Amino acid sequence: MDTIKAKFKVLWELGEIYTSPLNLFLILLGVSFSTYHYNHTWNWRIILYALTILFFHVAVNIFNNYMDYKNASDAHDYKVKSNIIGRENLNLATVKKAFLFFLALASFFGLLLVWSTNLVLLGLGVLGFYVGLFYSSGPKPLNSLPIAETVTSLFSGFVIPLIGAYLCLYDQVDFSFHTIKLVFFISLPMVVMMFNNLLANNTCDLEEDIVNGRKTLVYYLGKKKAVQLFKVVFVFNFLWLILLVCLKLAPFPILLLVLLFPKYWKSLSPYFEVQDKQKTFPVALKNMAAIMMLYPILYTIGVVFAQF
């Protein structure tokens, strides 16, 4: 029993399973959108989609840890102290097998979805797989480029809700450019908070990234301007929430988030002062995650109220 528990603990960190629930909130937003704007709710395909996303999320995180370990410079102690593979002395072949196992599961459920819908979903899925797997691999990994934050946040924060909405509306509503535009508008709070999360992570990792040859957006901006950009994006998000309600694109309960703005801003002050991976990044991560979970929940509550 202790051995199983220990192995699961390693997998928990290697696959970063603790971050998986956020994907469910992204799917929830897409489902709630389809109900609010088209009065169509979830169906059995959403369950397959959730399984596909969760397994792929774990596979990508295992792969990223694997590639980060292999590509890390020996000029610092990242391999032995920061990366779970070196810290736990994991066998690389076993790590690779774990990645392939979860990728196979994700591919299986994903292909079932394509079989039950059409090739549009296959195209979106292939793009998502490409971004996820080439985030940390290839001659120019995405995580070493200044577009990493933008591309990753768009695919996670926008495409995941978009597919969720598409599955709810499939064979029921003409999924036009207008619908895609609406999904983008309501997904933007998720996109920008995810962008800020990645920006904060890369800000704290700047010195380590330089040693490893990664030239992220923070490399070009510098820490001071990166923090300023973080603040601007954060404020924009709350202004956008107000606009969504004014344009009747989102239900009024999401305005409760706006009331929490002073609380969030104050709690982020340690990160604004010092950007440290161990001490202040968890503060930024906690606040971004809270907003990304509360927004879909409040949107869904608003949808329920709108039914009466």
Side-chain angles (χ1 to χ4, degrees), residues 11 39 43 51-52 58 71-72 104 107 120 127 136 163 172 174 223 255 259 271 283:
L11 179 62
N39 202 30
N43 53 55
L51 291 172
T52 302
V58 174
N71 295 331
S107 300
V120 172
L127 282 174
S136 59
I163 295 176
Q172 304 293 325
D174 179 28
K223 281 194 173 185
L255 292 177
L259 298 178
Y271 171 76
V283 173

Side-chain angles (χ1 to χ4, degrees), residues 136-283:
S136 59
S137 65
K140 279 286 183 181
L142 188 59
N143 66 359
S144 66
L145 300 174
I147 61 171
E149 296 89 349
T150 303
V151 173
T152 305
S153 58
L154 275 172
F155 266 86
S156 296
F158 169 50
V159 176
I160 291 178
L162 178 67
I163 295 176
Y166 181 78
L167 291 173
C168 287
L169 301 176
Y170 179 72
D171 270 352
Q172 304 293 325
V173 174
D174 179 28
F175 210 82
S176 63
F177 176 75
H178 176 70
T179 304
I180 295 173
K181 182 177 66 175
L182 291 179
V183 176
F184 177 75
F185 287 160
I186 66 103
S187 299
L188 198 54
M190 306 295 276
V191 172
V192 296
M193 288 299 95
M194 198 163 290
F195 175 90
N196 261 4
N197 183 41
L198 294 168
L199 183 68
N201 180 65
N202 289 337
T203 301
C204 294
D205 283 345
L206 179 59
E207 292 79 9
E208 193 174 85
D209 284 345
I210 291 173
V211 174
N212 286 323
R214 295 177 187 162
K215 295 182 178 180
T216 63
L217 181 61
V218 182
Y219 174 85
Y220 295 97
L221 291 178
K223 281 194 173 185
K224 185 177 180 180
K225 288 185 178 179
V227 173
Q228 290 174 348
L229 177 59
F230 182 101
K231 291 179 178 179
V232 170
V233 171
F234 192 77
V235 172
F236 166 80
N237 180 60
F238 285 86
L239 294 175
W240 186 255
L241 291 174
I242 298 172
L243 185 61
L244 284 177
V245 175
C246 291
L247 294 176
K248 297 183 179 180
L249 296 177
F252 72 90
I254 70 167
L255 292 177
L256 290 174
L257 262 178
V258 179
L259 298 178
L260 294 173
F261 175 81
K263 175 183 177 294
Y264 287 126
W265 189 265
K266 183 179 180 181
S267 64
L268 284 167
S269 57
Y271 171 76
F272 294 153
E273 294 296 324
V274 179
Q275 296 78 53
D276 182 271
K277 191 61 176 285
Q278 302 302 322
K279 296 178 181 179
T280 60
F281 173 67
V283 173

